[in-house]
Amino acid sequence: MALIASDVDRFEAARPRLEAIAYRLLGSSGEAEDAVQETFLRWQAAEAGRIEVPEAWWTKVLTNYCLNQLTSARARRETYVGQWLPEPLLAGDPMLGPADTAEQRESVSYAVLVLMERLSPGERAVYVLREAFDHPHREIAEILDISEAASQQTYHRAKKHLADGRARTEIDEAAARRIVEEFLAAATSGRTEPLVQLLTQDAIAIGDGGGKVPARAKAFEGAVAVATFLRGLFKAGPAQRAIVGGTAEIYAITANGGPAVLAIVDGRVVGLLCLEVSADGIVAVRSQVNPDKLVRATERWAAEGHDEAPLHTL
């Protein structure tokens, strides 16, 4: 059945919300866009005029499509080269979705996206729909074809799995920048001691190069090991420039609502380090250097236009 212009307009109005759901479920902007487009194509093939509430139908189709993708993704990641990390998004990206409440902001934080890899596809879907988009369990049950009681139980189980014993720390943009500036000053000092002071004793550092860029797949563990690794990472020299393709300009930014370090070479994002922070210090440094997962960040950086000077060059 052919869609009329008003049908298409209605779907386009809902696209940002659908993409935000899909990104939280899949951890990839490209896969999220594909999932939303597949939802549109399935709606186009259906008898759209007989669907009373298209928004509910789209959410159901999208969520279940993403569930299938998550199931197959687990098999694909067994052959992924190195550590798989989600794709980070720069501040203001509409795919980050709603950020009105602490729960919504936390649900798209980089740390929680990483933790959600622990969840089963069903747990992840219930958590995202409830925590980030405030769907009542009655609606979630209809979307996933489960009982309302099962939805509630799955949600509580997901929350328990995500609890890691650390108190979450709300950080505004100004505080995030201060954290990154302090981190960069320590990382470029040439000494490990300033970094050790910023890190928690059980801090970790890990990276995702996708087999295309050298990255540490096995986590560095402990403040001293992480500090030693970071001191080398931020030591300017021919080796670093050869890896990234030139001199990298380093900026303090916000990604997924948290403090992050952005590395730019000739206008291209070549690295994004997301810092997980607790009241005790920096808990984790997760480096995304897989070029396939930095395309959207590059596009957004270029679209916004930046004339500020970098904090550092490598």
Side-chain angles (χ1 to χ4, degrees):
M1 177 179 176
L3 300 177
I4 61 177
S6 60
D7 290 330
V8 176
D9 289 344
R10 186 169 181 175
F11 186 88
E12 290 305 315
R15 184 181 290 272
R17 178 180 175 278
L18 295 172
E19 287 186 345
I21 292 173
Y23 169 70
R24 280 171 165 84
L25 289 175
L26 300 173
S28 162
S29 67
E31 291 181 10
E33 291 172 338
D34 291 344
V36 173
Q37 190 59 26
E38 179 64 24
T39 300
F40 177 79
L41 293 175
R42 292 186 183 188
W43 186 50
Q44 190 176 38
E47 295 187 39
R50 302 179 67 177
I51 298 172
E52 294 183 4
V53 185
E55 288 79 4
W57 191 90
W58 300 331
T59 302
K60 181 181 179 71
V61 170
L62 174 78
T63 301
N64 284 282
Y65 177 83
C66 288
L67 286 177
N68 289 334
Q69 293 299 103
L70 282 170
T71 300
S72 61
R74 300 210 165 190
R76 292 198 305 273
R77 286 173 195 168
E78 290 180 1
T79 60
Y80 190 84
V81 179
Q83 174 70 39
W84 186 95
L85 290 174
E87 175 184 350
L89 299 180
L90 303 192
D93 192 314
M95 199 173 281
L96 289 170
D100 299 325
T101 67
E103 290 77 15
Q104 289 172 336
R105 291 188 292 273
E106 185 180 58
S107 71
V108 80
S109 73
Y110 204 65
V112 169
L113 286 181
V114 171
L115 285 173
M116 280 203 286
E117 290 299 303
R118 300 177 179 179
L119 304 182
S120 69
E123 289 171 340
R124 188 163 182 162
V126 171
Y127 176 82
V128 166
L129 292 172
R130 179 65 185 148
E131 196 81 350
F133 296 91
D134 203 29
H135 280 274
H137 285 290
R138 173 183 52 78
E139 291 181 1
I140 296 173
E142 293 174 357
I143 290 169
L144 299 177
D145 292 324
I146 58 177
S147 69
E148 189 170 343
S151 176
Q152 292 170 338
Q153 292 168 1
T154 302
Y155 173 68
H156 291 304
R157 189 165 60 246
K159 292 272 285 185
K160 183 177 180 181
H161 287 330
L162 292 177
D164 62 357
R166 294 190 180 99
R168 298 295 173 195
T169 304
E170 281 274 344
I171 300 173
D172 61 26
E173 191 168 344
R177 183 178 179 85
R178 289 194 300 272
I179 290 168
V180 175
E181 289 175 347
E182 190 175 2
F183 171 81
L184 282 174
T188 57
S189 68
R191 297 182 296 126
T192 58
E193 292 81 1
L195 278 165
V196 170
Q197 292 175 10
L198 294 179
L199 300 165
T200 61
Q201 286 303 305
D202 59 348
I204 64 167
I206 198 163
D208 177 351
K212 300 181 178 182
V213 175
R216 174 75 175 188
K218 190 177 187 311
F220 289 96
E221 299 180 358
V224 174
V226 172
T228 303
F229 160 68
L230 291 171
R231 184 188 64 186
L233 184 67
F234 282 91
K235 183 179 180 181
Q240 284 83 350
R241 296 189 185 103
I243 290 172
V244 300
T247 299
E249 299 177 331
I250 308 299
Y251 296 87
I253 64 156
T254 303
N256 290 76
V261 178
L262 185 74
I264 301 284
V265 173
D266 296 330
R268 176 173 52 91
V269 177
V270 297
L272 231 174
L273 277 67
C274 296
L275 308 181
E276 182 182 353
V277 180
S278 74
D280 298 322
I282 297 173
V283 174
V285 180
R286 298 184 177 93
S287 308
Q288 184 54 261
V289 292
N290 183 343
D292 295 341
K293 298 182 182 181
L294 296 172
V295 173
R296 188 179 178 94
T298 296
E299 292 172 348
R300 182 156 188 87
W301 181 262
E304 288 181 343
H306 296 272
D307 54 9
E308 73 268 30
L311 294 177
H312 192 70
T313 57
L314 292 176

